[in-house]
Amino acid sequence: MGIQGLTSFIENVLQNYNFTTSKLIIDGSNLFHFLYFNSSVDQQHGGDYDDFEDQVCKFFKALRDCGIDPFVIIDGGSDHTDNKFKTLRERAQSKINNLSIGLQGDRIIPTLAKQVFKQVLSCLEVPFAQCIFEADQEIASLAEKWNCPVLSNDSDFYIFDIQAGYLPFSHFQWQNVSVQHGSSQNYIPCKLYTTTSFCTHFKIDRQLLPVFAAIAGNDYVNLYNMGFPIKWPRVLDLGADTRVVFFNRLLDWLARFQEQQEALDSVPSLIGHGENGVNTDVALEALSLGIEEYKLPLGCLERFFEEYSAPDPGSLPDHLRVLPDWTLLPLMKGTLPSCIIYILQLRPVIQGVQVEDHSFPSGNNTSRPIRQVLYGLLLGERREVEEYDREGTNLTSSMVKAILPRAAQQLQLNKLHIQHAHLQPDHPLLQALLLGLVYGELCRQRKSQRGFIEEGPVLEKLRRLIQRGASNLDLAVAHAYSQWQCCMRDCLDLNQLLCFPLSEPQIACPASRLYRGTLVHQLVGQLRGGVTPDSLLIEDPSSGQLYRAMLEAILNSQETEATGQPDGPSADSGSQCPATRGRKYSSKLC
């Protein structure tokens, strides 16, 4: 998010900085994307969550080795005007387009990465909050109150007037912790930005920075798209980036003003009469709203971190009054899904994009019945939620009905059926998934106090499969596991909304046990080639016992669902495939 091209333009204003012994406000949504995309964690196979967890743990260890106290703010709410919605929709379509031409896993965040991230933060006892309001403003407000910098990758933080400054992720060398000369104190080499250095460099008043951002175009206003392209006088500027030229000329123009209103009054002379008959007043109103986004609110994060309390319901803006009082604290604690803010406001919800076979329906369709129950609990029956999701290679919208089936009314989650997978998973997919869970449990059991995994014969065998790496990606396998992860995600959300009638699965910390994509994809190939679970687990009887117990529980639950009667013991090792009875395994894996 932010102002396109500003990050590269501003490089010369950054100052080298040795960061140590301070509070630090971290843009959490930026952080988990940054760590996933910049650490060579696999993106094609639906998530290597243990590698991701390892990166998160190393990051916060580096901070604490340098005496840095982190406070993580995760984006939850959004601006109620939906000014960012068009940008979010365009980015989702861009991801679909990239995947459709063969760029599998091109900067695709896995379905459960956010849930893993929050669980790791809790395990590490890192203070974090999930925002109810627009996160950028809340982050900047807290940083100003505590006089500490912000760590993010969002160029909007070049505009907020934060006295302690802004540290861009791209220059934050957390993997290169150093020791200060003549001291035993560790520090992280980085670069620091302050509005003072920017305004001194370009000779403009700091209160004009929001005007600069609004005219340049951010997520809230874009004059060019509104029909007001700024046409500077032609000058010979060979080889210069057009965006750099634009920024320089805009800053030269702003340097003549002292106050925001003075600059806004002169905007008509800059933009002319516009195109397509659009009134100039519309542009001025949009600019004023864009400028407002950079004002620092009173904020509620300081109270949350110091008193562990939610904001006073009476202090909420009108668009958030739809939130029941009891939801405010769980939302901020991250124990309620942030999507309920959008749902209760009857705003569109964009479903996540994953690596899938685009000739089949989106994996999110499989878990739609779960979301319909969640919508019903929030909105009541006969209401609808607009969902944006992939249809083929196009992002389309549809109205999804909220439902309250009898099971939901009685809160009997064990009667919630999920049988809409397409492609439907076969037996090797189930076996591989369970073997992946066994692998995660072995990693957890064998993780020493020093953080190293003590290898055993089964772990060594499974690790060799991971290290072998994947050959050509099997999109059918990726699609099936995407459907399963969508079901898991939406079940987690529903369970949270119902205040945890079921214990939340420990999908992370001390080792992510839920899913390792590169392993389960390799296992599917091995199992389809004739390898049996027994042969993989034979050196460790307890692993075999765990595998069989999970398989039996799933098969027994399917028999109960089909006949209404508990069935006897199932196949003892998984090598006897019950698929001969026509069984499919989509309904109980979540």
Side-chain angles (χ1 to χ4, degrees):
M1 296 296 187
I3 303 149
Q4 183 181 358
L6 184 59
T7 297
S8 57
F9 173 75
I10 222 154
E11 284 289 320
N12 292 334
V13 183
L14 302 180
Q15 303 169 348
N16 291 328
Y17 189 60
N18 297 336
F19 186 50
T20 185
T21 57
S22 170
K23 287 183 177 179
L24 176 65
I25 311 301
I26 300 176
D27 182 339
S29 301
N30 260 225
L31 176 61
F32 75 76
H33 283 80
F34 181 82
L35 291 178
Y36 206 98
F37 293 146
N38 292 276
S39 57
S40 301
V41 179
D42 179 83
Q43 298 176 43
Q44 294 191 28
H45 300 85
D48 276 359
Y49 294 117
D50 53 346
D51 283 351
F52 174 53
E53 177 183 334
D54 186 54
Q55 287 296 309
V56 176
C57 291
K58 288 178 179 177
F59 176 83
F60 286 103
K61 181 181 184 304
L63 296 188
R64 286 176 167 164
D65 285 348
C66 298
I68 298 167
D69 295 326
F71 293 82
V72 179
I73 315 301
I74 300 172
D75 202 1
S78 182
D79 74 298
H80 65 285
T81 61
D82 277 329
N83 287 327
K84 284 188 177 182
F85 183 72
K86 182 180 179 182
T87 302
L88 294 171
R89 193 175 59 200
E90 290 173 348
R91 291 184 180 183
Q93 181 64 67
S94 177
K95 289 179 181 179
I96 295 170
N97 293 342
N98 287 340
L99 292 173
S100 69
I101 60 176
L103 302 178
Q104 271 85 11
D106 180 52
R107 299 186 73 79
I108 297 296
I109 199 73
T111 301
L112 299 172
K114 185 175 182 179
Q115 286 86 344
V116 170
F117 181 65
K118 289 195 290 187
Q119 283 199 4
V120 176
L121 293 179
S122 296
C123 182
L124 298 177
E125 298 183 348
V126 173
F128 76 93
Q130 181 174 260
C131 261
I132 298 174
F133 306 93
E134 171 62 29
D136 289 358
Q137 291 175 297
E138 290 289 315
I139 289 170
S141 176
L142 183 62
E144 187 64 12
K145 286 179 180 178
W146 285 356
N147 193 30
C148 64
V150 167
L151 178 65
S152 179
N153 212 30
D154 189 331
S155 55
D156 277 328
F157 288 106
Y158 290 118
I159 306 302
F160 287 109
D161 193 9
I162 303 170
Q163 293 303 302
Y166 163 48
L167 308 174
F169 272 128
S170 53
H171 294 287
F172 196 73
Q173 301 178 50
W174 64 272
Q175 293 170 312
N176 298 320
V177 172
S178 305
V179 180
Q180 290 181 345
H181 181 70
S183 168
S184 60
Q185 180 60 52
N186 293 336
Y187 68 87
I188 294 177
C190 59
K191 290 195 174 181
L192 175 68
Y193 166 86
T194 63
T195 54
T196 299
S197 61
F198 181 92
C199 293
T200 299
H201 184 84
F202 291 102
K203 299 180 176 60
I204 69 167
D205 191 282
R206 69 176 66 244
Q207 68 169 303
L208 293 172
L209 281 176
V211 182
F212 166 73
I215 296 176
N218 56 22
D219 295 321
Y220 307 99
V221 57
N222 189 308
L223 291 177
Y224 182 87
N225 292 341
M226 294 175 64
F228 291 94
I230 298 175
K231 299 175 181 177
W232 302 106
R234 287 183 175 274
V235 297
L236 189 63
D237 212 344
L238 297 177
D241 182 278
T242 55
R243 198 65 173 156
V244 171
V245 171
F246 179 87
F247 287 148
N248 277 316
R249 293 184 182 182
L250 178 56
L251 288 166
D252 285 344
W253 182 80
L254 285 170
R256 69 186 71 172
F257 306 112
Q258 299 297 319
E259 297 179 355
Q260 287 186 3
Q261 192 58 50
E262 183 185 3
L264 285 175
D265 290 342
S266 299
V267 164
S269 66
L270 184 67
I271 64 176
H273 297 290
E275 300 175 352
N276 304 321
V278 182
N279 192 302
T280 306
D281 290 342
V282 175
L284 293 175
E285 182 180 357
L287 289 175
S288 296
L289 291 174
I291 290 169
E292 287 292 316
E293 298 298 333
Y294 297 103
K295 289 187 176 179
L296 299 185
L298 294 176
C300 61
L301 291 177
E302 183 177 35
R303 178 182 174 187
F304 174 77
F305 284 123
E306 293 181 350
E307 303 176 10
Y308 214 52
S309 58
D312 182 352
S315 68
L316 295 178
D318 290 342
H319 67 278
L320 289 176
R321 297 286 173 89
V322 296
L323 297 177
D325 294 355
W326 70 268
T327 67
L328 300 181
L329 187 57
L331 277 170
M332 294 196 71
K333 290 166 60 178
T335 56
L336 266 182
S338 59
C339 66
I340 75 167
I341 301 174
Y342 296 83
I343 296 163
L344 287 168
Q345 292 176 328
L346 298 178
R347 290 164 53 204
V349 177
I350 299 178
Q351 298 298 318
V353 177
Q354 292 299 306
V355 178
E356 295 179 339
D357 187 336
H358 287 177
S359 64
F360 290 97
S362 164
N364 294 299
N365 285 7
T366 309
S367 60
R368 179 178 290 173
I370 307 174
R371 295 196 301 279
Q372 288 181 279
V373 172
L374 186 143
Y375 298 158
L377 291 170
L378 289 170
L379 302 174
E381 289 190 284
R382 300 184 181 89
R383 301 293 292 272
E384 292 183 320
V385 174
E386 184 179 13
E387 286 190 351
Y388 278 78
D389 198 4
R390 177 186 64 77
E391 185 174 341
T393 57
N394 295 314
L395 187 71
T396 62
S397 70
S398 61
M399 301 306 295
V400 178
K401 290 183 178 179
I403 62 172
L404 270 177
R406 189 171 304 169
Q409 292 171 350
Q410 298 173 8
L411 304 184
Q412 296 176 359
L413 295 184
N414 61 327
K415 294 184 179 179
L416 181 63
H417 302 299
I418 311 302
Q419 297 179 333
H420 299 266
H422 187 69
L423 301 165
Q424 288 192 333
D426 60 14
H427 197 58
L429 287 167
L430 170 63
Q431 292 175 311
L433 184 61
L434 296 183
L435 288 169
L437 294 174
V438 171
Y439 167 82
E441 176 62 16
L442 283 174
C443 289
R444 185 194 68 82
Q445 291 176 359
R446 295 178 177 273
K447 194 168 187 178
S448 69
Q449 292 183 348
R450 293 182 296 172
F452 298 105
I453 302 294
E454 299 173 356
E455 297 286 357
V458 173
L459 268 181
E460 289 177 2
K461 192 179 298 183
L462 295 176
R463 282 189 187 282
R464 283 198 295 270
L465 287 178
I466 297 171
Q467 293 164 0
R468 185 181 302 172
S471 53
N472 293 331
L473 179 67
D474 188 327
L475 279 178
V477 174
H479 198 96
Y481 284 131
S482 176
Q483 293 177 99
W484 173 75
Q485 289 203 64
C486 289
C487 291
M488 176 61 76
R489 174 201 62 204
D490 291 338
C491 281
L492 290 170
D493 287 351
L494 181 60
N495 192 46
Q496 288 187 349
L497 179 61
L498 296 174
C499 300
F500 302 98
L502 304 174
S503 298
E504 186 160 81
Q506 188 178 5
I507 59 177
C509 216
S512 292
R513 293 176 282 170
L514 184 69
Y515 181 83
R516 182 177 179 115
T518 53
L519 174 61
V520 297
H521 276 246
Q522 284 279 17
L523 284 167
V524 171
Q526 294 284 311
L527 294 164
R528 287 176 175 173
V531 174
T532 66
D534 276 343
S535 66
L536 294 170
L537 304 177
I538 193 169
E539 292 96 339
D540 187 346
S542 63
S543 296
Q545 184 179 7
L546 174 61
Y547 169 82
R548 288 189 293 273
M550 290 191 293
L551 180 64
E552 183 173 332
I554 290 171
L555 299 182
N556 281 346
S557 67
Q558 289 192 311
E559 290 295 337
T560 301
E561 180 180 298
T563 66
Q565 298 290 332
D567 195 28
S570 303
D572 60 354
S573 68
S575 60
Q576 300 295 319
C577 178
T580 56
R581 297 196 298 265
R583 294 288 173 212
K584 298 299 181 182
Y585 302 96
S586 60
S587 64
K588 292 296 181 181
L589 297 189
C590 59

